Coordinates of all heavy atoms in Angstrom, one line a residue:
M1 N -11.3 2.0 4.1 CA -11.0 1.7 5.5 C -9.7 0.9 5.6 O -9.3 0.3 4.6 CB -12.2 0.9 6.1 CG -13.5 1.5 5.9 SD -13.8 2.6 7.3 CE -15.3 3.3 6.8
S2 N -9.1 0.9 6.8 CA -7.9 0.2 6.9 C -8.1 -1.2 7.5 O -9.1 -1.5 8.0 CB -7.0 1.0 7.9 OG -7.5 1.0 9.2
K3 N -7.0 -2.0 7.4 CA -7.0 -3.3 8.0 C -7.3 -3.3 9.5 O -8.0 -4.1 10.0 CB -5.7 -4.0 7.7 CG -5.4 -4.3 6.3 CD -4.0 -5.0 6.1 CE -3.6 -5.0 4.7 NZ -2.2 -5.6 4.6
E4 N -6.6 -2.3 10.1 CA -6.8 -2.2 11.6 C -8.3 -2.0 12.0 O -8.8 -2.5 13.0 CB -5.9 -1.2 12.2 CG -4.4 -1.6 12.2 CD -4.2 -2.9 12.9 OE1 -4.7 -3.0 14.1 OE2 -3.5 -3.7 12.4
Y5 N -8.9 -1.1 11.2 CA -10.3 -0.8 11.4 C -11.2 -2.1 11.4 O -12.0 -2.4 12.3 CB -10.9 0.2 10.4 CG -12.4 0.3 10.5 CD1 -13.0 1.0 11.4 CD2 -13.2 -0.4 9.5 CE1 -14.4 1.1 11.5 CE2 -14.6 -0.3 9.6 CZ -15.2 0.5 10.6 OH -16.5 0.6 10.6
Y6 N -10.9 -2.9 10.4 CA -11.7 -4.2 10.3 C -11.4 -5.2 11.4 O -12.2 -5.9 11.9 CB -11.5 -4.8 8.9 CG -12.2 -4.0 7.8 CD1 -11.5 -3.4 6.8 CD2 -13.6 -3.8 7.8 CE1 -12.1 -2.7 5.8 CE2 -14.2 -3.0 6.8 CZ -13.4 -2.5 5.8 OH -14.1 -1.7 4.9
R7 N -10.1 -5.2 11.7 CA -9.7 -6.2 12.8 C -10.4 -5.7 14.1 O -10.9 -6.6 14.9 CB -8.2 -6.1 13.0 CG -7.5 -6.9 11.9 CD -6.0 -7.0 12.1 NE -5.3 -7.7 11.0 CZ -4.4 -7.1 10.3 NH1 -3.9 -5.9 10.6 NH2 -3.9 -7.8 9.3
K8 N -10.4 -4.4 14.4 CA -11.0 -3.9 15.6 C -12.5 -4.2 15.6 O -13.1 -4.5 16.6 CB -10.7 -2.4 15.8 CG -11.3 -1.9 17.1 CD -10.9 -0.4 17.3 CE -11.4 0.2 18.6 NZ -12.7 -0.3 19.0
R9 N -13.1 -3.9 14.4 CA -14.5 -4.1 14.2 C -14.9 -5.6 14.5 O -15.9 -5.9 15.2 CB -14.9 -3.8 12.8 CG -16.4 -4.0 12.5 CD -17.1 -2.7 12.3 NE -18.4 -2.9 11.8 CZ -19.5 -2.8 12.6 NH1 -19.4 -2.6 13.8 NH2 -20.7 -3.1 12.0
I10 N -14.1 -6.5 14.0 CA -14.4 -8.0 14.2 C -14.3 -8.3 15.7 O -15.2 -9.0 16.3 CB -13.4 -8.8 13.4 CG1 -13.7 -8.7 11.9 CG2 -13.5 -10.3 13.9 CD1 -12.7 -9.3 11.0
I11 N -13.3 -7.7 16.4 CA -13.2 -8.0 17.8 C -14.4 -7.4 18.6 O -14.9 -8.0 19.5 CB -11.8 -7.4 18.4 CG1 -10.7 -8.2 17.8 CG2 -11.8 -7.3 19.9 CD1 -9.3 -7.5 18.0
D12 N -14.8 -6.2 18.2 CA -15.9 -5.5 18.9 C -17.2 -6.3 18.6 O -18.0 -6.5 19.6 CB -16.1 -4.1 18.4 CG -15.0 -3.2 18.9 OD1 -14.2 -3.6 19.8 OD2 -14.8 -2.1 18.3
L13 N -17.4 -6.8 17.4 CA -18.6 -7.5 17.1 C -18.6 -8.9 17.9 O -19.7 -9.3 18.3 CB -18.7 -7.8 15.6 CG -19.0 -6.6 14.7 CD1 -18.8 -6.9 13.3 CD2 -20.4 -6.1 15.0
R14 N -17.5 -9.5 18.0 CA -17.4 -10.8 18.8 C -17.8 -10.5 20.2 O -18.5 -11.3 20.8 CB -16.1 -11.4 18.6 CG -15.9 -12.1 17.3 CD -14.5 -12.8 17.2 NE -14.4 -13.4 15.9 CZ -13.2 -13.6 15.3 NH1 -12.1 -13.3 15.9 NH2 -13.1 -14.2 14.1
A15 N -17.3 -9.4 20.8 CA -17.6 -9.1 22.1 C -19.1 -8.8 22.3 O -19.8 -9.2 23.3 CB -16.8 -7.9 22.6
S16 N -19.7 -8.1 21.3 CA -21.1 -7.8 21.4 C -21.9 -9.1 21.3 O -23.0 -9.3 22.0 CB -21.5 -6.9 20.2 OG -20.9 -5.7 20.3
M17 N -21.5 -10.0 20.5 CA -22.2 -11.3 20.3 C -22.1 -12.1 21.6 O -23.2 -12.6 22.0 CB -21.6 -12.1 19.2 CG -22.4 -13.3 18.8 SD -22.0 -14.2 17.3 CE -20.4 -14.7 17.6
Q18 N -21.0 -12.0 22.3 CA -20.9 -12.7 23.6 C -21.8 -12.1 24.6 O -22.5 -12.8 25.4 CB -19.4 -12.7 24.1 CG -19.2 -13.6 25.3 CD -19.4 -15.0 25.0 OE1 -19.2 -15.5 23.9 NE2 -20.0 -15.7 26.0
K19 N -21.9 -10.8 24.6 CA -22.8 -10.1 25.6 C -24.3 -10.4 25.3 O -25.1 -10.6 26.2 CB -22.6 -8.6 25.4 CG -21.4 -8.1 26.1 CD -21.2 -6.6 25.9 CE -19.9 -6.0 26.4 NZ -19.7 -4.6 26.2
E20 N -24.6 -10.5 24.0 CA -26.0 -10.9 23.6 C -26.3 -12.3 24.1 O -27.4 -12.6 24.6 CB -26.1 -10.8 22.1 CG -27.6 -10.9 21.6 CD -28.4 -9.7 22.0 OE1 -27.9 -8.6 22.2 OE2 -29.6 -9.9 22.2
K21 N -25.4 -13.2 23.9 CA -25.6 -14.6 24.4 C -25.8 -14.6 25.9 O -26.7 -15.3 26.4 CB -24.4 -15.5 24.0 CG -24.4 -15.8 22.5 CD -23.2 -16.7 22.2 CE -23.1 -17.0 20.7 NZ -22.0 -17.9 20.4
E22 N -25.0 -13.8 26.6 CA -25.2 -13.8 28.1 C -26.5 -13.2 28.4 O -27.2 -13.6 29.4 CB -24.0 -13.0 28.7 CG -22.7 -13.7 28.6 CD -21.5 -12.8 29.0 OE1 -21.7 -11.7 29.4 OE2 -20.4 -13.3 28.9
A23 N -26.9 -12.2 27.7 CA -28.2 -11.5 28.0 C -29.4 -12.5 27.7 O -30.4 -12.6 28.4 CB -28.4 -10.3 27.1
K24 N -29.2 -13.3 26.7 CA -30.2 -14.3 26.4 C -30.3 -15.3 27.5 O -31.4 -15.7 28.0 CB -29.9 -15.1 25.1 CG -30.9 -16.1 24.7 CD -30.5 -16.9 23.5 CE -31.5 -18.0 23.2 NZ -31.1 -18.8 22.0
K25 N -29.2 -15.7 28.0 CA -29.2 -16.7 29.1 C -29.8 -16.1 30.4 O -30.6 -16.8 31.0 CB -27.7 -17.1 29.4 CG -27.6 -18.2 30.4 CD -26.1 -18.5 30.6 CE -25.9 -19.6 31.6 NZ -24.5 -20.0 31.8
R26 N -29.5 -14.8 30.7 CA -30.1 -14.2 31.8 C -31.6 -14.1 31.7 O -32.4 -14.3 32.6 CB -29.5 -12.8 32.0 CG -28.3 -12.7 32.9 CD -28.0 -11.2 33.3 NE -28.1 -10.3 32.2 CZ -27.2 -10.0 31.3 NH1 -26.0 -10.6 31.4 NH2 -27.4 -9.1 30.4
D27 N -32.1 -13.7 30.5 CA -33.5 -13.5 30.3 C -34.2 -14.9 30.4 O -35.3 -14.9 31.0 CB -33.8 -12.9 28.9 CG -33.6 -11.4 28.8 OD1 -33.4 -10.8 29.9 OD2 -33.7 -10.9 27.7
N28 N -33.6 -15.9 29.9 CA -34.2 -17.2 30.0 C -34.4 -17.7 31.5 O -35.4 -18.2 31.8 CB -33.4 -18.3 29.2 CG -33.7 -18.3 27.7 OD1 -34.7 -17.7 27.3 ND2 -32.8 -18.8 26.9
E29 N -33.3 -17.4 32.2 CA -33.4 -17.7 33.6 C -34.5 -16.9 34.4 O -35.2 -17.4 35.2 CB -32.0 -17.5 34.3 CG -31.0 -18.5 33.9 CD -29.6 -18.2 34.3 OE1 -29.4 -17.1 34.9 OE2 -28.7 -19.0 34.1
Y30 N -34.6 -15.6 34.0 CA -35.5 -14.7 34.6 C -36.9 -15.2 34.3 O -37.8 -15.3 35.2 CB -35.3 -13.3 34.0 CG -36.4 -12.3 34.4 CD1 -36.5 -11.9 35.7 CD2 -37.3 -11.9 33.4 CE1 -37.5 -10.9 36.0 CE2 -38.3 -11.0 33.8 CZ -38.4 -10.5 35.0 OH -39.4 -9.7 35.4
Y31 N -37.2 -15.5 33.0 CA -38.6 -16.0 32.7 C -38.9 -17.3 33.2 O -40.0 -17.6 33.6 CB -38.8 -15.9 31.2 CG -39.0 -14.5 30.7 CD1 -38.1 -13.8 30.0 CD2 -40.2 -13.9 31.0 CE1 -38.3 -12.5 29.6 CE2 -40.5 -12.6 30.6 CZ -39.5 -11.9 29.9 OH -39.7 -10.6 29.5
A32 N -37.9 -18.2 33.3 CA -38.1 -19.5 33.9 C -38.5 -19.4 35.4 O -39.4 -20.1 35.9 CB -36.8 -20.4 33.9
R33 N -37.9 -18.4 36.1 CA -38.3 -18.1 37.5 C -39.8 -17.6 37.6 O -40.5 -18.0 38.4 CB -37.3 -17.2 38.2 CG -36.1 -17.8 38.6 CD -35.3 -16.8 39.6 NE -35.1 -15.5 39.1 CZ -34.2 -15.1 38.3 NH1 -33.2 -15.9 37.9 NH2 -34.1 -13.8 37.9
L34 N -40.1 -16.7 36.6 CA -41.4 -16.2 36.6 C -42.5 -17.2 36.4 O -43.5 -17.3 37.0 CB -41.6 -15.1 35.6 CG -40.9 -13.7 35.8 CD1 -41.0 -12.8 34.6 CD2 -41.5 -13.1 37.1
I35 N -42.1 -18.1 35.4 CA -43.1 -19.2 35.0 C -43.3 -20.1 36.2 O -44.4 -20.5 36.6 CB -42.6 -20.0 33.8 CG1 -42.6 -19.1 32.6 CG2 -43.4 -21.3 33.6 CD1 -41.9 -19.6 31.4
K36 N -42.2 -20.4 36.9 CA -42.2 -21.4 38.0 C -43.1 -20.8 39.2 O -43.8 -21.5 39.8 CB -40.8 -21.7 38.5 CG -40.8 -22.8 39.5 CD -39.3 -23.2 39.8 CE -39.3 -24.4 40.7 NZ -37.9 -24.8 41.0
S37 N -43.0 -19.5 39.4 CA -43.7 -18.9 40.5 C -45.0 -18.4 40.2 O -45.7 -17.9 41.1 CB -42.8 -17.8 41.1 OG -42.7 -16.7 40.2
A38 N -45.4 -18.4 38.9 CA -46.8 -17.9 38.5 C -47.8 -18.8 39.1 O -47.7 -20.0 39.3 CB -46.9 -17.9 37.0
T39 N -48.9 -18.1 39.5 CA -50.0 -18.9 40.2 C -51.2 -19.2 39.3 O -51.8 -20.2 39.5 CB -50.5 -18.0 41.4 OG1 -50.9 -16.8 40.9 CG2 -49.4 -17.8 42.4
T40 N -51.4 -18.5 38.3 CA -52.5 -18.7 37.4 C -52.1 -19.3 36.0 O -51.0 -18.9 35.6 CB -53.4 -17.5 37.1 OG1 -52.6 -16.5 36.4 CG2 -53.9 -16.9 38.4
P41 N -52.9 -20.1 35.4 CA -52.4 -20.6 34.1 C -52.3 -19.5 33.1 O -51.4 -19.6 32.2 CB -53.6 -21.6 33.8 CG -54.2 -21.9 35.0 CD -54.0 -20.7 35.9
S42 N -53.1 -18.5 33.1 CA -53.0 -17.4 32.1 C -51.7 -16.7 32.3 O -51.1 -16.3 31.3 CB -54.2 -16.5 32.2 OG -54.2 -15.8 33.5
S43 N -51.2 -16.4 33.5 CA -50.0 -15.7 33.7 C -48.8 -16.6 33.3 O -47.8 -16.1 32.7 CB -49.8 -15.3 35.1 OG -49.8 -16.3 36.0
K44 N -48.9 -17.9 33.5 CA -47.9 -18.8 33.1 C -47.8 -18.8 31.5 O -46.6 -18.7 31.0 CB -48.1 -20.3 33.5 CG -47.7 -20.6 34.9 CD -47.8 -22.0 35.2 CE -47.3 -22.3 36.6 NZ -47.0 -23.6 36.9
A45 N -48.9 -18.8 30.9 CA -48.9 -18.8 29.4 C -48.3 -17.4 28.9 O -47.5 -17.4 27.9 CB -50.3 -18.9 28.9
T46 N -48.6 -16.4 29.6 CA -48.1 -15.1 29.2 C -46.6 -15.0 29.3 O -45.9 -14.5 28.4 CB -48.7 -13.9 30.0 OG1 -50.2 -14.0 29.8 CG2 -48.2 -12.6 29.6
Y47 N -46.1 -15.5 30.5 CA -44.7 -15.6 30.7 C -43.9 -16.5 29.7 O -42.9 -16.1 29.2 CB -44.3 -16.0 32.1 CG -44.7 -15.0 33.2 CD1 -45.2 -15.5 34.4 CD2 -44.6 -13.7 33.0 CE1 -45.6 -14.6 35.4 CE2 -44.9 -12.7 33.9 CZ -45.4 -13.2 35.2 OH -45.7 -12.3 36.1
R48 N -44.6 -17.6 29.3 CA -44.0 -18.5 28.4 C -43.9 -17.8 27.0 O -42.9 -17.9 26.3 CB -44.8 -19.8 28.2 CG -44.6 -20.7 29.3 CD -45.2 -22.1 29.0 NE -45.0 -23.0 30.2 CZ -46.0 -23.4 31.0 NH1 -47.2 -23.0 30.8 NH2 -45.7 -24.2 32.0
K49 N -44.9 -17.1 26.6 CA -44.9 -16.4 25.4 C -43.8 -15.3 25.4 O -43.1 -15.1 24.4 CB -46.3 -15.8 25.1 CG -46.3 -15.1 23.7 CD -47.7 -14.5 23.4 CE -47.8 -13.9 22.1 NZ -46.7 -13.1 21.6
S50 N -43.7 -14.6 26.5 CA -42.7 -13.6 26.6 C -41.3 -14.2 26.5 O -40.4 -13.6 25.9 CB -42.8 -12.8 27.9 OG -44.0 -12.0 27.9
K51 N -41.1 -15.3 27.1 CA -39.8 -16.0 27.1 C -39.4 -16.3 25.7 O -38.3 -16.1 25.2 CB -39.9 -17.2 28.0 CG -38.6 -18.0 28.1 CD -38.6 -19.2 29.0 CE -37.3 -19.9 29.0 NZ -37.4 -21.1 29.8
I52 N -40.4 -16.9 24.9 CA -40.2 -17.3 23.5 C -39.9 -16.1 22.7 O -38.9 -16.1 21.9 CB -41.4 -18.1 23.0 CG1 -41.4 -19.4 23.7 CG2 -41.3 -18.3 21.5 CD1 -42.8 -20.2 23.4
D53 N -40.6 -15.0 22.9 CA -40.4 -13.8 22.1 C -39.1 -13.1 22.4 O -38.3 -12.7 21.4 CB -41.5 -12.8 22.4 CG -42.9 -13.2 21.9 OD1 -42.9 -14.1 21.0 OD2 -43.9 -12.6 22.3
H54 N -38.7 -13.1 23.6 CA -37.4 -12.5 23.9 C -36.2 -13.4 23.5 O -35.2 -12.9 23.0 CB -37.2 -12.3 25.5 CG -38.0 -11.1 26.0 ND1 -39.3 -11.1 26.3 CD2 -37.6 -9.8 26.1 CE1 -39.7 -9.9 26.7 NE2 -38.7 -9.1 26.5
A55 N -36.3 -14.7 23.5 CA -35.3 -15.6 23.0 C -35.2 -15.4 21.5 O -34.0 -15.4 21.0 CB -35.6 -17.0 23.4
A56 N -36.3 -15.3 20.8 CA -36.2 -15.1 19.4 C -35.6 -13.8 19.0 O -34.8 -13.7 18.1 CB -37.6 -15.2 18.8
S57 N -35.8 -12.8 19.8 CA -35.2 -11.5 19.6 C -33.7 -11.6 19.8 O -32.9 -11.0 18.9 CB -35.8 -10.5 20.5 OG -35.1 -9.2 20.4
H58 N -33.3 -12.2 20.8 CA -31.9 -12.4 21.0 C -31.2 -13.2 19.9 O -30.1 -12.9 19.4 CB -31.6 -13.1 22.4 CG -31.8 -12.3 23.6 ND1 -31.1 -11.2 23.8 CD2 -32.7 -12.4 24.6 CE1 -31.5 -10.6 25.0 NE2 -32.5 -11.4 25.4
D59 N -31.9 -14.3 19.4 CA -31.4 -15.1 18.3 C -31.2 -14.2 17.0 O -30.2 -14.4 16.3 CB -32.3 -16.2 18.0 CG -32.3 -17.3 19.1 OD1 -31.3 -17.3 19.9 OD2 -33.2 -18.1 19.2
R60 N -32.2 -13.3 16.8 CA -32.1 -12.5 15.6 C -30.9 -11.6 15.7 O -30.1 -11.3 14.8 CB -33.4 -11.7 15.4 CG -34.5 -12.4 14.8 CD -35.7 -11.5 14.4 NE -36.2 -10.7 15.6 CZ -37.1 -11.2 16.4 NH1 -37.7 -12.4 16.3 NH2 -37.6 -10.4 17.4
N61 N -30.7 -11.0 16.9 CA -29.5 -10.1 17.1 C -28.2 -10.9 17.0 O -27.3 -10.3 16.4 CB -29.6 -9.5 18.5 CG -30.7 -8.5 18.7 OD1 -31.2 -8.0 17.7 ND2 -31.1 -8.2 19.9
I62 N -28.1 -12.1 17.5 CA -27.0 -12.9 17.3 C -26.7 -13.2 15.9 O -25.5 -13.1 15.4 CB -27.0 -14.2 18.2 CG1 -27.0 -13.8 19.7 CG2 -25.9 -15.2 17.8 CD1 -27.4 -15.0 20.6
E63 N -27.7 -13.6 15.1 CA -27.5 -13.8 13.7 C -27.1 -12.6 12.9 O -26.2 -12.7 12.0 CB -28.8 -14.4 13.1 CG -29.1 -15.8 13.5 CD -28.0 -16.8 13.2 OE1 -27.5 -16.8 12.1 OE2 -27.7 -17.6 14.1
S64 N -27.6 -11.5 13.3 CA -27.2 -10.2 12.7 C -25.8 -9.9 12.9 O -25.0 -9.5 12.0 CB -28.1 -9.1 13.2 OG -27.6 -7.8 12.7
L65 N -25.3 -10.1 14.2 CA -23.9 -9.9 14.5 C -23.0 -10.9 13.8 O -21.9 -10.5 13.3 CB -23.7 -10.1 16.0 CG -24.3 -8.9 16.9 CD1 -24.3 -9.3 18.3 CD2 -23.5 -7.6 16.7
K66 N -23.4 -12.1 13.6 CA -22.7 -13.1 12.8 C -22.5 -12.6 11.4 O -21.4 -12.7 10.8 CB -23.3 -14.5 12.8 CG -23.2 -15.2 14.1 CD -23.9 -16.6 14.0 CE -23.8 -17.3 15.3 NZ -24.5 -18.6 15.3
R67 N -23.6 -12.1 10.8 CA -23.5 -11.6 9.4 C -22.6 -10.4 9.3 O -21.8 -10.3 8.4 CB -24.9 -11.2 8.9 CG -25.8 -12.4 8.5 CD -27.0 -12.0 7.8 NE -27.8 -11.1 8.5 CZ -28.8 -11.5 9.4 NH1 -29.0 -12.7 9.6 NH2 -29.5 -10.6 10.0
Q68 N -22.6 -9.5 10.3 CA -21.7 -8.4 10.3 C -20.3 -8.8 10.4 O -19.4 -8.2 9.8 CB -22.1 -7.4 11.5 CG -23.4 -6.7 11.2 CD -23.7 -5.8 12.5 OE1 -22.9 -5.3 13.1 NE2 -25.0 -5.7 12.7
I69 N -20.0 -9.8 11.3 CA -18.6 -10.4 11.4 C -18.1 -10.9 10.0 O -17.0 -10.6 9.6 CB -18.5 -11.4 12.5 CG1 -18.7 -10.8 13.9 CG2 -17.2 -12.2 12.4 CD1 -18.9 -11.8 15.0
E70 N -19.0 -11.7 9.4 CA -18.6 -12.2 8.1 C -18.3 -11.1 7.1 O -17.4 -11.2 6.3 CB -19.7 -13.2 7.6 CG -19.8 -14.5 8.3 CD -18.5 -15.2 8.4 OE1 -17.8 -15.4 7.3 OE2 -18.1 -15.7 9.4
S71 N -19.2 -10.1 7.1 CA -19.0 -9.0 6.2 C -17.7 -8.3 6.5 O -16.9 -7.9 5.5 CB -20.1 -8.0 6.4 OG -19.9 -6.9 5.6
A72 N -17.3 -8.1 7.7 CA -16.1 -7.4 8.1 C -14.9 -8.3 7.7 O -13.9 -7.8 7.2 CB -16.0 -7.2 9.6
K73 N -15.0 -9.6 7.8 CA -13.9 -10.5 7.4 C -13.7 -10.4 5.9 O -12.6 -10.4 5.4 CB -14.3 -12.0 7.7 CG -14.1 -12.3 9.2 CD -14.4 -13.8 9.4 CE -14.3 -14.1 10.9 NZ -14.6 -15.5 11.2
E74 N -14.8 -10.4 5.1 CA -14.7 -10.2 3.7 C -14.1 -8.9 3.3 O -13.2 -8.8 2.4 CB -16.1 -10.3 3.0 CG -16.7 -11.7 3.0 CD -15.9 -12.8 2.4 OE1 -15.4 -12.5 1.3 OE2 -15.7 -13.9 2.9
S75 N -14.4 -7.9 4.0 CA -13.8 -6.5 3.7 C -12.4 -6.5 4.1 O -11.6 -5.9 3.3 CB -14.6 -5.4 4.5 OG -15.9 -5.4 4.2
L76 N -12.0 -7.2 5.1 CA -10.6 -7.3 5.5 C -9.8 -8.1 4.4 O -8.7 -7.6 4.1 CB -10.5 -8.1 6.8 CG -9.1 -8.2 7.4 CD1 -8.4 -6.9 7.7 CD2 -9.1 -9.0 8.7
K77 N -10.4 -9.1 3.9 CA -9.7 -9.9 2.8 C -9.5 -9.0 1.6 O -8.4 -9.0 0.9 CB -10.5 -11.1 2.4 CG -10.4 -12.2 3.4 CD -11.3 -13.4 2.9 CE -11.3 -14.5 4.0 NZ -12.2 -15.6 3.6
R78 N -10.5 -8.1 1.3 CA -10.4 -7.2 0.1 C -9.3 -6.2 0.3 O -8.7 -5.7 -0.6 CB -11.7 -6.6 -0.2 CG -12.7 -7.5 -0.9 CD -13.8 -6.6 -1.4 NE -14.6 -5.9 -0.5 CZ -15.6 -6.4 0.2 NH1 -16.0 -7.6 0.0 NH2 -16.3 -5.7 1.1
E79 N -9.1 -5.8 1.6 CA -8.0 -4.8 1.9 C -6.6 -5.3 1.7 O -5.7 -4.6 1.4 CB -8.2 -4.3 3.3 CG -9.3 -3.4 3.5 CD -9.2 -2.0 2.9 OE1 -8.1 -1.5 2.9 OE2 -10.1 -1.5 2.3
K80 N -6.4 -6.6 1.8 CA -5.1 -7.2 1.7 C -4.6 -7.2 0.3 O -5.1 -7.1 -0.7 CB -5.1 -8.6 2.3 CG -5.2 -8.6 3.8 CD -5.1 -10.0 4.4 CE -5.2 -9.9 5.9 NZ -5.1 -11.1 6.6

């Protein structure tokens, strides 16, 4: 692979990571609204669990993207 490929890959991965962070923020706000407007304790608990699960999923995706960025940086160094 070429240096330009890795540079573009790093830029694309950083953009993806930013989008994932924004999606996490949107989801947290969405579930916070649901929790606030829930009428029964069981629905509140369900929404809280969903909020935690979705936040954890976003965190895993962000960590994966960070690892991919580091890998692309290492590959770029090897190309030089």
